[in-house]
Amino acid sequence: MTIRARSDEIVFRAGTGLFGLVIIALVVAIGWILLVDSADSLWKFGWQFWQTDIWDPVAGEFGAHPFIWGTLYSSVLALLIAGPVALGIAIYISELSPAWLKRPLVFLTELLAAIPSIVYGLWGIFVLVPFVRGLEMATPPWLKTVPLFTGPPLGLGMLSAVLLLAIMIVPFSASVAREVLRAVPASQREGAYALGATRWEAIRMALFYARTGIVGAIMLGFGRALGETMAVTMVIGNTPQVSTSLFAPQYTMAAVLANEFAEAADTLHVHALVEIGLVLFVITLAVNGLARAFIWSLGRQRAPRARPAAPAAVGAA
């Protein structure tokens, strides 16, 4: 290697490394600004801020527990609904769909992913909330004794927020999972068929080799659910309470920031809202860290074995 080529390689490595450091610097800067601008709230409430249920700007009492609960509860339930649906859509489009139907399905999936959240929120108010209200009114009285279904039939509440979040994150996860499945080499499927695998077993093999990307696609949808603001704000009811009931109106961290930040006049109130942003930032980092650890554990698993084909029948005597 010549001296010029070596110097060009050093410059290239240094330049790309600098771009990588920019990402780290941005994350550190965001965390530092949130930490500094929430200093009053951190100093006054400490760890009690995470555990207190009271949110009273007039009395100067602030606790983020209802918002943390509402954010995690709605996001996890939405992920449980949207994850299997998104994976099923991705498998059908990439593995089972006929050629004439594949392109329209891909276009519609990407179109749903591009719709602004405020449009989803308006659809939720005019279509989803009345539907959920009717569903709640039709709930049998014996079922309303279960803590999961207690409360008045308002329509605005956790159930509407969960369904809307699930609808919003399905296109994101399905689009990414579909691209991941497309990236699996055709030789993997051909090898499975050559060993006598059925179509389902060949798809399982493709899913195994695409497992890290599929988990990443699902976690992308989970991140969208954690940070969703306007659509959830419009349908969740915005009541700071901790409840397991799907019918109860509740609150999320992003929603309280959108509703109160512009009107917060007291310094402590502003710092408490910024600390909610800090809590959401920490939760997002923790979720991404756990997802990365889960992906790392998946990478150490062995591929499933295809069932051997039945031996060919010997001709009758």
PDB file of all heavy atoms in Angstrom, residues 155-193:
ATOM      1  N   GLY A 155     -65.899   6.003  26.048  1.00  0.00           N
ATOM      2  CA  GLY A 155     -65.259   5.945  24.734  1.00  0.00           C
ATOM      3  C   GLY A 155     -63.848   6.481  24.760  1.00  0.00           C
ATOM      4  O   GLY A 155     -62.935   5.898  24.176  1.00  0.00           O
ATOM      5  N   LEU A 156     -63.658   7.623  25.440  1.00  0.00           N
ATOM      6  CA  LEU A 156     -62.323   8.188  25.625  1.00  0.00           C
ATOM      7  C   LEU A 156     -61.640   7.448  26.776  1.00  0.00           C
ATOM      8  O   LEU A 156     -62.103   7.514  27.912  1.00  0.00           O
ATOM      9  CB  LEU A 156     -62.400   9.683  25.932  1.00  0.00           C
ATOM     10  CG  LEU A 156     -62.920  10.584  24.825  1.00  0.00           C
ATOM     11  CD1 LEU A 156     -63.124  11.995  25.349  1.00  0.00           C
ATOM     12  CD2 LEU A 156     -61.951  10.607  23.654  1.00  0.00           C
ATOM     13  N   GLY A 157     -60.568   6.764  26.483  1.00  0.00           N
ATOM     14  CA  GLY A 157     -59.897   6.010  27.533  1.00  0.00           C
ATOM     15  C   GLY A 157     -58.771   5.165  26.982  1.00  0.00           C
ATOM     16  O   GLY A 157     -58.344   5.313  25.830  1.00  0.00           O
ATOM     17  N   MET A 158     -58.311   4.235  27.815  1.00  0.00           N
ATOM     18  CA  MET A 158     -57.158   3.426  27.471  1.00  0.00           C
ATOM     19  C   MET A 158     -57.419   2.527  26.277  1.00  0.00           C
ATOM     20  O   MET A 158     -56.545   2.333  25.424  1.00  0.00           O
ATOM     21  CB  MET A 158     -56.742   2.599  28.689  1.00  0.00           C
ATOM     22  CG  MET A 158     -55.534   1.719  28.460  1.00  0.00           C
ATOM     23  SD  MET A 158     -54.053   2.617  27.937  1.00  0.00           S
ATOM     24  CE  MET A 158     -53.697   3.552  29.431  1.00  0.00           C
ATOM     25  N   LEU A 159     -58.621   1.962  26.165  1.00  0.00           N
ATOM     26  CA  LEU A 159     -58.909   1.049  25.063  1.00  0.00           C
ATOM     27  C   LEU A 159     -58.806   1.761  23.715  1.00  0.00           C
ATOM     28  O   LEU A 159     -58.231   1.215  22.764  1.00  0.00           O
ATOM     29  CB  LEU A 159     -60.297   0.433  25.240  1.00  0.00           C
ATOM     30  CG  LEU A 159     -60.719  -0.584  24.178  1.00  0.00           C
ATOM     31  CD1 LEU A 159     -59.737  -1.740  24.120  1.00  0.00           C
ATOM     32  CD2 LEU A 159     -62.136  -1.093  24.453  1.00  0.00           C
ATOM     33  N   SER A 160     -59.349   2.964  23.614  1.00  0.00           N
ATOM     34  CA  SER A 160     -59.244   3.723  22.370  1.00  0.00           C
ATOM     35  C   SER A 160     -57.786   4.032  22.042  1.00  0.00           C
ATOM     36  O   SER A 160     -57.357   3.927  20.880  1.00  0.00           O
ATOM     37  CB  SER A 160     -60.041   5.026  22.479  1.00  0.00           C
ATOM     38  OG  SER A 160     -61.418   4.774  22.637  1.00  0.00           O
ATOM     39  N   ALA A 161     -57.006   4.414  23.063  1.00  0.00           N
ATOM     40  CA  ALA A 161     -55.600   4.721  22.828  1.00  0.00           C
ATOM     41  C   ALA A 161     -54.823   3.491  22.380  1.00  0.00           C
ATOM     42  O   ALA A 161     -53.986   3.566  21.468  1.00  0.00           O
ATOM     43  CB  ALA A 161     -54.979   5.307  24.098  1.00  0.00           C
ATOM     44  N   VAL A 162     -55.101   2.345  22.990  1.00  0.00           N
ATOM     45  CA  VAL A 162     -54.392   1.113  22.625  1.00  0.00           C
ATOM     46  C   VAL A 162     -54.706   0.704  21.195  1.00  0.00           C
ATOM     47  O   VAL A 162     -53.800   0.368  20.410  1.00  0.00           O
ATOM     48  CB  VAL A 162     -54.761  -0.011  23.617  1.00  0.00           C
ATOM     49  CG1 VAL A 162     -54.301  -1.368  23.099  1.00  0.00           C
ATOM     50  CG2 VAL A 162     -54.154   0.269  24.981  1.00  0.00           C
ATOM     51  N   LEU A 163     -55.983   0.728  20.829  1.00  0.00           N
ATOM     52  CA  LEU A 163     -56.356   0.345  19.467  1.00  0.00           C
ATOM     53  C   LEU A 163     -55.773   1.304  18.438  1.00  0.00           C
ATOM     54  O   LEU A 163     -55.290   0.875  17.378  1.00  0.00           O
ATOM     55  CB  LEU A 163     -57.883   0.302  19.343  1.00  0.00           C
ATOM     56  CG  LEU A 163     -58.594  -0.782  20.156  1.00  0.00           C
ATOM     57  CD1 LEU A 163     -60.097  -0.672  19.992  1.00  0.00           C
ATOM     58  CD2 LEU A 163     -58.109  -2.164  19.739  1.00  0.00           C
ATOM     59  N   LEU A 164     -55.795   2.600  18.744  1.00  0.00           N
ATOM     60  CA  LEU A 164     -55.246   3.572  17.805  1.00  0.00           C
ATOM     61  C   LEU A 164     -53.735   3.408  17.667  1.00  0.00           C
ATOM     62  O   LEU A 164     -53.192   3.473  16.554  1.00  0.00           O
ATOM     63  CB  LEU A 164     -55.588   4.988  18.268  1.00  0.00           C
ATOM     64  CG  LEU A 164     -55.235   6.124  17.295  1.00  0.00           C
ATOM     65  CD1 LEU A 164     -55.963   5.923  15.979  1.00  0.00           C
ATOM     66  CD2 LEU A 164     -55.588   7.472  17.887  1.00  0.00           C
ATOM     67  N   LEU A 165     -53.034   3.196  18.776  1.00  0.00           N
ATOM     68  CA  LEU A 165     -51.592   2.962  18.708  1.00  0.00           C
ATOM     69  C   LEU A 165     -51.275   1.700  17.923  1.00  0.00           C
ATOM     70  O   LEU A 165     -50.314   1.670  17.133  1.00  0.00           O
ATOM     71  CB  LEU A 165     -51.010   2.857  20.121  1.00  0.00           C
ATOM     72  CG  LEU A 165     -50.747   4.162  20.868  1.00  0.00           C
ATOM     73  CD1 LEU A 165     -50.279   3.862  22.282  1.00  0.00           C
ATOM     74  CD2 LEU A 165     -49.704   5.006  20.144  1.00  0.00           C
ATOM     75  N   ALA A 166     -52.045   0.648  18.131  1.00  0.00           N
ATOM     76  CA  ALA A 166     -51.808  -0.596  17.391  1.00  0.00           C
ATOM     77  C   ALA A 166     -51.971  -0.370  15.890  1.00  0.00           C
ATOM     78  O   ALA A 166     -51.161  -0.865  15.088  1.00  0.00           O
ATOM     79  CB  ALA A 166     -52.768  -1.679  17.881  1.00  0.00           C
ATOM     80  N   ILE A 167     -53.005   0.362  15.508  1.00  0.00           N
ATOM     81  CA  ILE A 167     -53.220   0.646  14.086  1.00  0.00           C
ATOM     82  C   ILE A 167     -52.070   1.478  13.523  1.00  0.00           C
ATOM     83  O   ILE A 167     -51.635   1.273  12.379  1.00  0.00           O
ATOM     84  CB  ILE A 167     -54.560   1.371  13.895  1.00  0.00           C
ATOM     85  CG1 ILE A 167     -55.718   0.429  14.239  1.00  0.00           C
ATOM     86  CG2 ILE A 167     -54.711   1.894  12.479  1.00  0.00           C
ATOM     87  CD1 ILE A 167     -57.068   1.108  14.296  1.00  0.00           C
ATOM     88  N   MET A 168     -51.525   2.385  14.316  1.00  0.00           N
ATOM     89  CA  MET A 168     -50.469   3.272  13.838  1.00  0.00           C
ATOM     90  C   MET A 168     -49.127   2.559  13.683  1.00  0.00           C
ATOM     91  O   MET A 168     -48.353   2.886  12.781  1.00  0.00           O
ATOM     92  CB  MET A 168     -50.322   4.460  14.789  1.00  0.00           C
ATOM     93  CG  MET A 168     -51.501   5.402  14.800  1.00  0.00           C
ATOM     94  SD  MET A 168     -51.297   6.775  15.961  1.00  0.00           S
ATOM     95  CE  MET A 168     -49.948   7.657  15.198  1.00  0.00           C
ATOM     96  N   ILE A 169     -48.829   1.612  14.567  1.00  0.00           N
ATOM     97  CA  ILE A 169     -47.503   0.997  14.514  1.00  0.00           C
ATOM     98  C   ILE A 169     -47.462  -0.239  13.620  1.00  0.00           C
ATOM     99  O   ILE A 169     -46.367  -0.700  13.266  1.00  0.00           O
ATOM    100  CB  ILE A 169     -46.993   0.638  15.919  1.00  0.00           C
ATOM    101  CG1 ILE A 169     -47.845  -0.447  16.578  1.00  0.00           C
ATOM    102  CG2 ILE A 169     -46.941   1.875  16.785  1.00  0.00           C
ATOM    103  CD1 ILE A 169     -47.378  -0.828  17.964  1.00  0.00           C
ATOM    104  N   VAL A 170     -48.607  -0.784  13.247  1.00  0.00           N
ATOM    105  CA  VAL A 170     -48.606  -1.932  12.346  1.00  0.00           C
ATOM    106  C   VAL A 170     -47.895  -1.634  11.027  1.00  0.00           C
ATOM    107  O   VAL A 170     -47.044  -2.423  10.586  1.00  0.00           O
ATOM    108  CB  VAL A 170     -50.047  -2.443  12.108  1.00  0.00           C
ATOM    109  CG1 VAL A 170     -50.129  -3.284  10.845  1.00  0.00           C
ATOM    110  CG2 VAL A 170     -50.522  -3.269  13.285  1.00  0.00           C
ATOM    111  N   PRO A 171     -48.191  -0.519  10.331  1.00  0.00           N
ATOM    112  CA  PRO A 171     -47.496  -0.285   9.052  1.00  0.00           C
ATOM    113  C   PRO A 171     -45.981  -0.150   9.194  1.00  0.00           C
ATOM    114  O   PRO A 171     -45.238  -0.626   8.326  1.00  0.00           O
ATOM    115  CB  PRO A 171     -48.120   1.031   8.554  1.00  0.00           C
ATOM    116  CG  PRO A 171     -49.406   1.147   9.260  1.00  0.00           C
ATOM    117  CD  PRO A 171     -49.198   0.520  10.591  1.00  0.00           C
ATOM    118  N   PHE A 172     -45.503   0.495  10.260  1.00  0.00           N
ATOM    119  CA  PHE A 172     -44.060   0.640  10.463  1.00  0.00           C
ATOM    120  C   PHE A 172     -43.394  -0.726  10.609  1.00  0.00           C
ATOM    121  O   PHE A 172     -42.433  -1.053   9.906  1.00  0.00           O
ATOM    122  CB  PHE A 172     -43.782   1.496  11.694  1.00  0.00           C
ATOM    123  CG  PHE A 172     -43.958   2.960  11.471  1.00  0.00           C
ATOM    124  CD1 PHE A 172     -45.193   3.557  11.685  1.00  0.00           C
ATOM    125  CD2 PHE A 172     -42.905   3.746  11.051  1.00  0.00           C
ATOM    126  CE1 PHE A 172     -45.372   4.910  11.470  1.00  0.00           C
ATOM    127  CE2 PHE A 172     -43.077   5.101  10.831  1.00  0.00           C
ATOM    128  CZ  PHE A 172     -44.308   5.684  11.047  1.00  0.00           C
ATOM    129  N   SER A 173     -43.893  -1.515  11.535  1.00  0.00           N
ATOM    130  CA  SER A 173     -43.287  -2.816  11.784  1.00  0.00           C
ATOM    131  C   SER A 173     -43.427  -3.741  10.583  1.00  0.00           C
ATOM    132  O   SER A 173     -42.497  -4.482  10.255  1.00  0.00           O
ATOM    133  CB  SER A 173     -43.929  -3.456  13.024  1.00  0.00           C
ATOM    134  OG  SER A 173     -43.718  -2.666  14.170  1.00  0.00           O
ATOM    135  N   ALA A 174     -44.580  -3.713   9.923  1.00  0.00           N
ATOM    136  CA  ALA A 174     -44.788  -4.593   8.774  1.00  0.00           C
ATOM    137  C   ALA A 174     -43.864  -4.233   7.616  1.00  0.00           C
ATOM    138  O   ALA A 174     -43.315  -5.128   6.955  1.00  0.00           O
ATOM    139  CB  ALA A 174     -46.252  -4.522   8.324  1.00  0.00           C
ATOM    140  N   SER A 175     -43.673  -2.944   7.361  1.00  0.00           N
ATOM    141  CA  SER A 175     -42.799  -2.523   6.252  1.00  0.00           C
ATOM    142  C   SER A 175     -41.359  -2.954   6.490  1.00  0.00           C
ATOM    143  O   SER A 175     -40.700  -3.497   5.598  1.00  0.00           O
ATOM    144  CB  SER A 175     -42.881  -1.007   6.070  1.00  0.00           C
ATOM    145  OG  SER A 175     -44.182  -0.610   5.710  1.00  0.00           O
ATOM    146  N   VAL A 176     -40.853  -2.715   7.702  1.00  0.00           N
ATOM    147  CA  VAL A 176     -39.472  -3.085   8.003  1.00  0.00           C
ATOM    148  C   VAL A 176     -39.302  -4.600   8.009  1.00  0.00           C
ATOM    149  O   VAL A 176     -38.323  -5.133   7.455  1.00  0.00           O
ATOM    150  CB  VAL A 176     -39.035  -2.473   9.345  1.00  0.00           C
ATOM    151  CG1 VAL A 176     -37.617  -2.903   9.694  1.00  0.00           C
ATOM    152  CG2 VAL A 176     -39.116  -0.958   9.293  1.00  0.00           C
ATOM    153  N   ALA A 177     -40.242  -5.324   8.608  1.00  0.00           N
ATOM    154  CA  ALA A 177     -40.149  -6.790   8.640  1.00  0.00           C
ATOM    155  C   ALA A 177     -40.216  -7.378   7.231  1.00  0.00           C
ATOM    156  O   ALA A 177     -39.524  -8.365   6.929  1.00  0.00           O
ATOM    157  CB  ALA A 177     -41.268  -7.358   9.509  1.00  0.00           C
ATOM    158  N   ARG A 178     -41.020  -6.773   6.373  1.00  0.00           N
ATOM    159  CA  ARG A 178     -41.100  -7.266   4.992  1.00  0.00           C
ATOM    160  C   ARG A 178     -39.765  -7.095   4.276  1.00  0.00           C
ATOM    161  O   ARG A 178     -39.301  -8.004   3.569  1.00  0.00           O
ATOM    162  CB  ARG A 178     -42.197  -6.511   4.244  1.00  0.00           C
ATOM    163  CG  ARG A 178     -42.315  -6.878   2.766  1.00  0.00           C
ATOM    164  CD  ARG A 178     -43.406  -6.066   2.107  1.00  0.00           C
ATOM    165  NE  ARG A 178     -43.149  -4.638   2.240  1.00  0.00           N
ATOM    166  CZ  ARG A 178     -42.356  -3.957   1.423  1.00  0.00           C
ATOM    167  NH1 ARG A 178     -41.718  -4.577   0.431  1.00  0.00           N
ATOM    168  NH2 ARG A 178     -42.179  -2.656   1.586  1.00  0.00           N
ATOM    169  N   GLU A 179     -39.121  -5.941   4.456  1.00  0.00           N
ATOM    170  CA  GLU A 179     -37.827  -5.724   3.821  1.00  0.00           C
ATOM    171  C   GLU A 179     -36.768  -6.677   4.378  1.00  0.00           C
ATOM    172  O   GLU A 179     -35.884  -7.130   3.647  1.00  0.00           O
ATOM    173  CB  GLU A 179     -37.390  -4.270   4.028  1.00  0.00           C
ATOM    174  CG  GLU A 179     -38.250  -3.244   3.305  1.00  0.00           C
ATOM    175  CD  GLU A 179     -38.186  -3.409   1.793  1.00  0.00           C
ATOM    176  OE1 GLU A 179     -37.147  -3.877   1.286  1.00  0.00           O
ATOM    177  OE2 GLU A 179     -39.191  -3.092   1.132  1.00  0.00           O
ATOM    178  N   VAL A 180     -36.862  -6.966   5.661  1.00  0.00           N
ATOM    179  CA  VAL A 180     -35.908  -7.911   6.265  1.00  0.00           C
ATOM    180  C   VAL A 180     -36.098  -9.303   5.672  1.00  0.00           C
ATOM    181  O   VAL A 180     -35.119 -10.000   5.344  1.00  0.00           O
ATOM    182  CB  VAL A 180     -36.084  -7.933   7.787  1.00  0.00           C
ATOM    183  CG1 VAL A 180     -35.274  -9.064   8.413  1.00  0.00           C
ATOM    184  CG2 VAL A 180     -35.652  -6.604   8.386  1.00  0.00           C
ATOM    185  N   LEU A 181     -37.349  -9.736   5.503  1.00  0.00           N
ATOM    186  CA  LEU A 181     -37.603 -11.051   4.915  1.00  0.00           C
ATOM    187  C   LEU A 181     -37.158 -11.099   3.451  1.00  0.00           C
ATOM    188  O   LEU A 181     -36.693 -12.143   2.975  1.00  0.00           O
ATOM    189  CB  LEU A 181     -39.085 -11.392   5.034  1.00  0.00           C
ATOM    190  CG  LEU A 181     -39.579 -11.763   6.437  1.00  0.00           C
ATOM    191  CD1 LEU A 181     -41.090 -11.928   6.449  1.00  0.00           C
ATOM    192  CD2 LEU A 181     -38.918 -13.053   6.909  1.00  0.00           C
ATOM    193  N   ARG A 182     -37.302 -10.000   2.755  1.00  0.00           N
ATOM    194  CA  ARG A 182     -36.829  -9.957   1.367  1.00  0.00           C
ATOM    195  C   ARG A 182     -35.320 -10.099   1.282  1.00  0.00           C
ATOM    196  O   ARG A 182     -34.795 -10.601   0.278  1.00  0.00           O
ATOM    197  CB  ARG A 182     -37.249  -8.636   0.716  1.00  0.00           C
ATOM    198  CG  ARG A 182     -38.706  -8.555   0.289  1.00  0.00           C
ATOM    199  CD  ARG A 182     -38.966  -7.281  -0.479  1.00  0.00           C
ATOM    200  NE  ARG A 182     -38.094  -7.187  -1.650  1.00  0.00           N
ATOM    201  CZ  ARG A 182     -37.933  -6.074  -2.371  1.00  0.00           C
ATOM    202  NH1 ARG A 182     -38.561  -4.961  -2.010  1.00  0.00           N
ATOM    203  NH2 ARG A 182     -37.161  -6.069  -3.419  1.00  0.00           N
ATOM    204  N   ALA A 183     -34.616  -9.647   2.322  1.00  0.00           N
ATOM    205  CA  ALA A 183     -33.156  -9.713   2.309  1.00  0.00           C
ATOM    206  C   ALA A 183     -32.615 -11.110   2.599  1.00  0.00           C
ATOM    207  O   ALA A 183     -31.420 -11.348   2.426  1.00  0.00           O
ATOM    208  CB  ALA A 183     -32.585  -8.726   3.336  1.00  0.00           C
ATOM    209  N   VAL A 184     -33.467 -12.034   3.050  1.00  0.00           N
ATOM    210  CA  VAL A 184     -33.015 -13.407   3.283  1.00  0.00           C
ATOM    211  C   VAL A 184     -32.692 -14.040   1.938  1.00  0.00           C
ATOM    212  O   VAL A 184     -33.519 -14.024   1.020  1.00  0.00           O
ATOM    213  CB  VAL A 184     -34.099 -14.215   4.023  1.00  0.00           C
ATOM    214  CG1 VAL A 184     -33.675 -15.670   4.173  1.00  0.00           C
ATOM    215  CG2 VAL A 184     -34.373 -13.603   5.387  1.00  0.00           C
ATOM    216  N   PRO A 185     -31.513 -14.596   1.760  1.00  0.00           N
ATOM    217  CA  PRO A 185     -31.146 -15.171   0.450  1.00  0.00           C
ATOM    218  C   PRO A 185     -32.116 -16.270   0.027  1.00  0.00           C
ATOM    219  O   PRO A 185     -32.586 -17.064   0.849  1.00  0.00           O
ATOM    220  CB  PRO A 185     -29.733 -15.732   0.692  1.00  0.00           C
ATOM    221  CG  PRO A 185     -29.219 -14.993   1.882  1.00  0.00           C
ATOM    222  CD  PRO A 185     -30.420 -14.687   2.733  1.00  0.00           C
ATOM    223  N   ALA A 186     -32.404 -16.305  -1.258  1.00  0.00           N
ATOM    224  CA  ALA A 186     -33.292 -17.352  -1.774  1.00  0.00           C
ATOM    225  C   ALA A 186     -32.692 -18.737  -1.590  1.00  0.00           C
ATOM    226  O   ALA A 186     -33.423 -19.737  -1.517  1.00  0.00           O
ATOM    227  CB  ALA A 186     -33.582 -17.095  -3.253  1.00  0.00           C
ATOM    228  N   SER A 187     -31.371 -18.814  -1.487  1.00  0.00           N
ATOM    229  CA  SER A 187     -30.726 -20.121  -1.301  1.00  0.00           C
ATOM    230  C   SER A 187     -31.131 -20.770   0.023  1.00  0.00           C
ATOM    231  O   SER A 187     -31.130 -22.002   0.136  1.00  0.00           O
ATOM    232  CB  SER A 187     -29.202 -19.958  -1.356  1.00  0.00           C
ATOM    233  OG  SER A 187     -28.756 -19.049  -0.362  1.00  0.00           O
ATOM    234  N   GLN A 188     -31.481 -19.961   1.022  1.00  0.00           N
ATOM    235  CA  GLN A 188     -31.930 -20.532   2.292  1.00  0.00           C
ATOM    236  C   GLN A 188     -33.236 -21.296   2.107  1.00  0.00           C
ATOM    237  O   GLN A 188     -33.399 -22.419   2.612  1.00  0.00           O
ATOM    238  CB  GLN A 188     -32.101 -19.421   3.326  1.00  0.00           C
ATOM    239  CG  GLN A 188     -30.836 -18.652   3.651  1.00  0.00           C
ATOM    240  CD  GLN A 188     -29.843 -19.492   4.437  1.00  0.00           C
ATOM    241  OE1 GLN A 188     -30.201 -20.535   4.978  1.00  0.00           O
ATOM    242  NE2 GLN A 188     -28.604 -19.047   4.486  1.00  0.00           N
ATOM    243  N   ARG A 189     -34.159 -20.700   1.375  1.00  0.00           N
ATOM    244  CA  ARG A 189     -35.432 -21.382   1.132  1.00  0.00           C
ATOM    245  C   ARG A 189     -35.235 -22.583   0.206  1.00  0.00           C
ATOM    246  O   ARG A 189     -35.823 -23.656   0.423  1.00  0.00           O
ATOM    247  CB  ARG A 189     -36.432 -20.406   0.526  1.00  0.00           C
ATOM    248  CG  ARG A 189     -36.728 -19.179   1.395  1.00  0.00           C
ATOM    249  CD  ARG A 189     -37.652 -18.211   0.669  1.00  0.00           C
ATOM    250  NE  ARG A 189     -37.981 -17.043   1.464  1.00  0.00           N
ATOM    251  CZ  ARG A 189     -37.229 -15.952   1.548  1.00  0.00           C
ATOM    252  NH1 ARG A 189     -36.072 -15.900   0.895  1.00  0.00           N
ATOM    253  NH2 ARG A 189     -37.614 -14.928   2.282  1.00  0.00           N
ATOM    254  N   GLU A 190     -34.425 -22.415  -0.827  1.00  0.00           N
ATOM    255  CA  GLU A 190     -34.189 -23.508  -1.764  1.00  0.00           C
ATOM    256  C   GLU A 190     -33.518 -24.686  -1.071  1.00  0.00           C
ATOM    257  O   GLU A 190     -33.833 -25.848  -1.351  1.00  0.00           O
ATOM    258  CB  GLU A 190     -33.331 -23.002  -2.922  1.00  0.00           C
ATOM    259  CG  GLU A 190     -34.041 -21.971  -3.793  1.00  0.00           C
ATOM    260  CD  GLU A 190     -33.103 -21.309  -4.789  1.00  0.00           C
ATOM    261  OE1 GLU A 190     -31.890 -21.618  -4.746  1.00  0.00           O
ATOM    262  OE2 GLU A 190     -33.572 -20.489  -5.594  1.00  0.00           O
ATOM    263  N   GLY A 191     -32.582 -24.375  -0.149  1.00  0.00           N
ATOM    264  CA  GLY A 191     -31.944 -25.451   0.600  1.00  0.00           C
ATOM    265  C   GLY A 191     -32.930 -26.195   1.480  1.00  0.00           C
ATOM    266  O   GLY A 191     -32.863 -27.431   1.614  1.00  0.00           O
ATOM    267  N   ALA A 192     -33.865 -25.453   2.079  1.00  0.00           N
ATOM    268  CA  ALA A 192     -34.875 -26.106   2.912  1.00  0.00           C
ATOM    269  C   ALA A 192     -35.775 -27.007   2.073  1.00  0.00           C
ATOM    270  O   ALA A 192     -36.080 -28.140   2.461  1.00  0.00           O
ATOM    271  CB  ALA A 192     -35.702 -25.044   3.634  1.00  0.00           C
ATOM    272  N   TYR A 193     -36.192 -26.515   0.887  1.00  0.00           N
ATOM    273  CA  TYR A 193     -37.018 -27.346   0.005  1.00  0.00           C
ATOM    274  C   TYR A 193     -36.253 -28.573  -0.471  1.00  0.00           C
ATOM    275  O   TYR A 193     -36.813 -29.663  -0.602  1.00  0.00           O
ATOM    276  CB  TYR A 193     -37.488 -26.529  -1.195  1.00  0.00           C
ATOM    277  CG  TYR A 193     -38.566 -25.520  -0.861  1.00  0.00           C
ATOM    278  CD1 TYR A 193     -38.448 -24.192  -1.265  1.00  0.00           C
ATOM    279  CD2 TYR A 193     -39.703 -25.882  -0.148  1.00  0.00           C
ATOM    280  CE1 TYR A 193     -39.424 -23.257  -0.964  1.00  0.00           C
ATOM    281  CE2 TYR A 193     -40.692 -24.964   0.159  1.00  0.00           C
ATOM    282  CZ  TYR A 193     -40.546 -23.650  -0.261  1.00  0.00           C
ATOM    283  OH  TYR A 193     -41.510 -22.722   0.045  1.00  0.00           O
TER     284      TYR A 193
END
